[in-house]
Amino acid sequence: MMRALYSSVSGLKTHQTKMDVIGNNIANVNTVGFKSSRTTFSTMMYQNMSFASGANAQTGRGGVNAKQIGLGTTFASTAIDIDTGGASESTGKAFDLKLSDKNSTSFYIVNTGTENVFTRAGAFYVDGAGNLCMESTGYQVMGWQVDANGNIRKDTVSPLRIMSAENQTSNPEYTTRAVCSGILDDNTSNVNSDQGYAMNLNFYDNLGYSYTAKFAAQKMSEDGQYSINLTDIIDSNGKSILTNDTVGLAQLWGGGQGTNVDITNSYKVADGMGNAFGAIVSQIRTDNNNQLVYNFKSEYLNEILSPNDKSKKLPDGLIARYTITTTPGQNGAADTQTAAKLEFVDSSGAVVDVSQYSGGGNSDPWTITTGDGATSGIVKTITVAQTLKDMYNSGQISQTDGQYVLTASQVKKLMTDFNDTSYYPETASVVYNATTGQLEWLGGQAPTVTPPTGQTLFNPATLSGMNRTDSLMNYLNQGFIEIPANSVNSMGVFTTDVPSDAIIRYVPGDRGAWSYTVVTPGTDGYMAQFSTADGSLTYIGSDGNKTQTLRLSNYQINDNPFSDIEIDFSTLKNLSNGASSTAAMAPGNAGEGEGKEVGALIGLSVNQSGMIYGSYSNGNTTLLGQIAVARFANASGLESIGENCYRTTMNSGQFDGIGVEMDSDGSTIDSGTLEMSNVDLATEFTMMITTQRGYQANSRVISTSDSILEELVNLKR
């Protein structure tokens, strides 16, 4: 009877242990990554009342089984359901990571500070030192680091410090390629202007500083010819980087096929520097032995020399260089011209022969004498008849009753221009006979006026036959003087320095009405030829070329921070587009060579292989490390040490210190998701019921045994 008591006591103990396991499972029903356990019982030893005997042929008796009485049950084992995954809980947090196993059970490797342990709970965060850690314990997540080439180095695992100082930024990249695309429309006003059609190319140097290369496209002819000029390169503060004498526009974009693009609007004379131009010109004259070069555009010469007869018009785009040598006057006397030289050049500076244009037409006789000599220059004979005809054609002379009447002031000006010193009675009227081209008294009769003593009365017929000589010398103050950029930059004439090879065209003007224009050197461009059949680019610079290089490697100031930029013009077209040009430049070509500024870390992500990537503000995505996982021959043999962690045992298999890649067997790490507990409450409640019944039955055995013993004791009474 005592055996029954003790057997039931052992049953109570084992069922209590099983209830403890069930209670732990239910308690952790919402614990991230928790794995449920189950218990098993085993029988205790048996007491042999008699041993078994075999059959005896001599006596004819059969064998007898042993007589055994069991002594109860004992707790045999607990088994962790390690292989069954828990349900997924979506969180949206980048470092909530779920291990989705396919063929084997994987564990994150975390370090307690003294040893590596293992967990399925993937609730991680980045601590203040930039380490990836367990959210609950602060244990550091272990993985593989990135080598100098940006590749994962799969050696011994180490803490993943994904937000280290070096990972906070992404290195800049300089721009190496660009593309110019869109449409150049011949009818766009700015492609026909001196300023040209502006296009900007933004690019980066190797330190991440941004710059803007400014280009201008100008229409050169009606047969699809354009000039593409570089006009400046400015930094992020809006200042030109080409003000040093070491390098200029033509060295960076020098195709020798450009034009003098007007870039005046980009520069403003500094306060108090209005007289600086005159001082610079005086110094230039002194430094050049009293020589000074006056320059005139061919378009301007055509207007003053041949306003009516265009039969001998000079070609547009030429520059007349008129070099005057003077001897300074003594005691306040005017300077005396001693020599002159006239030559015509194109935008590249090459001398052009204009002899075929000399002589003008019948009504505008003018002569060009180029080369050296005192007579070198441009001379024109001007008649009163031609002057009056010009006045008539331009509407300066009013019409009255079929006659064109000159005002007194108009007559006086004619007399002054043609050196007529006779007396003119301002009360009398003069008319211009457009048919004869002659001046006449109104009504055909001279007024009855007595001129002052010593003077004769004005005779319109006499003035009509006069002529005068006009020469380029009379227009010197309208010609521009080229001032080198270093002169104005060194004096700070402009609020912003100009490129070192830009040209300042200073016009002295009459009565101090000076002006200036800033232009590019004319050698800073390439000719772009478009097909007149379909508007596509035929070439730029020379046959066969559809790209040109912005040669930033020539920028040799201190350490050159730039790379040459190859600009692709192949998609640029010359088409009608409603008088609207859309041509534009952009860095990069087919996703390559765009260049980037320094990038700040703005985001982190983990892919299904456990690779951790940093996203940067400059568009870069950089591999920062990879989470390694551990796998064991007998994962159920791991020792649970609390805090959702496990330690290896003699029966689990050992960790090799390296780990494996999560997707090596098709498994994945899912970001933004956590693995929930795999506790099945239905199962646990069922087990709780059977455990309760087992405990209850054992307690009944004890109470029944107690009753029997009580009856035995009562026999003595």
Side-chain angles (χ1 to χ4, degrees), residues 322-327 335-341 373-376 473 476:
Y322 198 29
T323 305
I324 304 297
T325 305
T326 59
T327 300
D335 295 346
T336 304
Q337 176 187 341
T338 58
K341 178 181 179 180
T375 60
S376 178
M473 286 294 296
L476 289 185

Side-chain angles (χ1 to χ4, degrees), residues 382-609:
I382 302 175
T383 65
V384 172
Q386 185 60 51
T387 303
L388 293 172
K389 185 180 294 185
D390 293 341
M391 293 174 66
Y392 165 68
N393 291 333
S394 61
Q396 298 179 46
I397 304 175
S398 61
Q399 179 182 10
T400 303
D401 297 330
Q403 293 182 315
Y404 296 87
V405 182
L406 277 69
T407 65
S409 61
Q410 289 172 332
V411 176
K412 283 287 190 180
K413 186 177 186 308
L414 279 174
M415 293 174 64
T416 301
D417 290 344
F418 287 88
N419 199 27
D420 186 336
T421 59
S422 59
Y423 171 70
Y424 173 70
E426 297 187 8
T427 57
S429 298
V430 175
V431 297
Y432 171 61
N433 188 327
T435 303
T436 63
Q438 297 290 308
L439 282 171
E440 302 171 354
W441 289 114
L442 183 63
Q445 297 294 323
T448 56
V449 175
T450 303
T453 305
Q455 293 193 39
T456 58
L457 183 65
F458 171 73
N459 185 348
T462 302
L463 180 60
S464 298
M466 290 183 177
N467 58 57
R468 65 181 176 87
T469 300
D470 197 8
S471 72
L472 199 53
M473 286 294 296
N474 297 331
Y475 298 92
L476 289 185
N477 276 352
Q478 304 306 313
F480 61 84
I481 301 166
E482 293 186 350
I483 299 177
N486 60 350
S487 296
V488 296
N489 287 345
S490 62
M491 292 183 66
V493 174
F494 295 116
T495 55
T496 303
D497 287 350
V498 301
S500 62
D501 56 351
I503 301 167
I504 294 83
R505 293 177 171 178
Y506 169 63
V507 180
D510 294 322
R511 299 181 182 88
W514 58 270
S515 62
Y516 71 92
T517 305
V518 185
V519 298
T520 60
T523 53
D524 61 325
Y526 289 96
M527 199 66 67
Q529 180 64 59
F530 295 91
S531 168
T532 56
D534 60 10
S536 63
L537 181 74
T538 303
Y539 65 83
I540 180 169
S542 59
D543 287 342
N545 285 339
K546 293 191 177 181
T547 63
Q548 286 296 339
T549 301
L550 182 60
R551 298 185 296 273
L552 293 172
S553 57
N554 288 340
Y555 187 85
Q556 299 295 339
I557 298 178
N558 299 323
D559 293 331
N560 189 342
F562 302 110
S563 169
D564 287 348
I565 302 176
E566 182 184 83
I567 305 177
D568 182 1
F569 290 86
S570 61
T571 56
L572 186 64
K573 295 184 180 297
N574 177 212
L575 300 170
S576 174
N577 191 46
S580 175
S581 290
T582 62
M585 290 187 175
N589 192 357
E592 296 182 2
E594 181 176 352
K596 296 175 181 177
E597 61 185 346
V598 174
L601 185 63
I602 58 174
L604 295 165
S605 61
V606 183
N607 72 3
Q608 291 188 330
S609 298

